[in-house]
Amino acid sequence: YCATDFDGNRPKAVASLNAAFLFRAIANPTKGRVEIEGLRNCLEGLTATLSDQRWKEQRRMAKYVGESAAEVAAASNTSTSTKKPTDPTQFVLVSTCPDAFGNFETPFGEFNGMKRQGEKIVLDEFPSLSYSVLQMGKFDDNFVQEGQELQFADAEEDTVVVDGVICAARTEENVQKAEQKRINRRDAARAAVDALLNEDIEGKKVQVYTKVGVTDIW
């Protein structure tokens, strides 16, 4: 899942001066944020679909063994997980590294804060789904060569809760740090697809990049 309301860290209505996006932002500002409400809608639909498929499978099994679907479910799987051992990771969320972009305030939340809220939704609110959260380095097609080896690093915890809202905490150390993780966008797409079958990062939040360069956030 990599849909977004942003171009970089600016809302599309502002970044592109697109009349359609601007009209939607003014006419219906409470429509919902792709990073949060859109993500939750997607996860709820996926969870419901997988649960329905599992229930239908259990009913088919019940016909063969002469028991109820509930008895088959209890006997075959006591876990709430909807994933079989041979299945790929069910949900991959593409997010951004803390050092990719600076803060950009919008009427409905700050850019980095909304990214972190979306990550927390995946990590905490849908335990039956298998997941991987990829915090991508900043996309750079000009100075980062395509086809380099993907690098993974443990995600840094950079969130704080202010008035019940999850926000990104950008410290002076992070801002002044002269390094910034970067990745060619084609390699980012490759990483997102590879994550479906990468058991090493399943159930984790990791940073993904191919090059570390000088930061452009000051």
Side-chain angles (χ1 to χ4, degrees):
Y1 184 88
C2 54
T4 181
D5 277 327
F6 292 85
D7 181 358
N9 66 338
R10 297 177 298 166
K12 290 180 179 177
V14 175
S16 63
L17 295 179
N18 185 295
F21 286 128
L22 187 59
F23 176 79
R24 192 194 78 171
I26 296 174
N28 193 6
T30 59
K31 182 178 180 65
R33 298 156 293 183
V34 171
E35 268 80 1
I36 298 176
E37 286 81 11
L39 172 63
R40 183 177 280 113
N41 288 342
C42 183
L43 288 166
E44 288 174 348
L46 177 60
T47 302
T49 298
L50 293 173
S51 296
D52 185 58
Q53 290 175 350
R54 184 176 64 170
W55 176 247
K56 290 179 179 178
E57 182 178 346
Q58 291 168 351
R59 290 189 64 184
R60 286 195 298 269
M61 292 175 58
K63 292 180 181 179
Y64 290 104
V65 299
E67 299 177 349
S68 68
E71 290 172 331
V72 171
S76 62
N77 185 13
T78 58
S79 171
T80 59
S81 175
T82 57
K83 181 178 181 294
K84 298 178 181 178
T86 56
D87 287 344
T89 301
Q90 293 167 327
F91 197 85
V92 176
L93 175 66
V94 177
S95 188
T96 58
C97 280
D99 62 3
F101 293 103
N103 294 340
F104 194 101
E105 293 289 346
T106 77
F108 298 98
E110 186 271 322
F111 168 78
N112 287 292
M114 283 195 282
K115 290 295 185 182
R116 301 301 167 259
Q117 289 182 61
E119 294 169 7
K120 196 166 182 62
I121 289 172
V122 175
L123 269 62
D124 297 344
E125 296 188 18
F126 296 86
S128 66
L129 292 179
S130 60
Y131 68 86
S132 294
V133 175
L134 308 182
Q135 290 186 338
M136 293 292 182
K138 188 168 186 176
F139 290 168
D140 187 343
D141 297 343
N142 295 321
F143 301 103
V144 179
Q145 185 177 354
E146 177 187 351
Q148 298 188 63
E149 181 181 357
L150 295 174
Q151 304 290 327
F152 296 93
D154 293 336
E156 302 170 5
E157 183 57 51
D158 69 326
T159 58
V160 293
V161 179
V162 180
D163 297 329
V165 178
I166 301 169
C167 303
R170 185 170 294 278
T171 65
E172 288 298 321
E173 179 183 357
N174 287 339
V175 173
Q176 294 175 2
K177 188 170 57 175
E179 295 182 346
Q180 183 180 52
K181 297 179 180 68
R182 294 175 180 265
I183 187 171
N184 186 288
R185 67 183 66 226
R186 290 186 178 87
D187 288 329
R190 173 165 60 93
V193 175
D194 289 351
L196 293 170
L197 299 175
N198 190 339
E199 296 182 352
D200 292 336
I201 61 174
E202 184 176 307
K204 298 179 181 179
K205 180 169 70 171
V206 297
Q207 297 181 356
V208 187
Y209 60 99
T210 57
K211 180 180 179 180
V212 177
V214 177
T215 185
D216 58 10
I217 300 176
W218 308 104

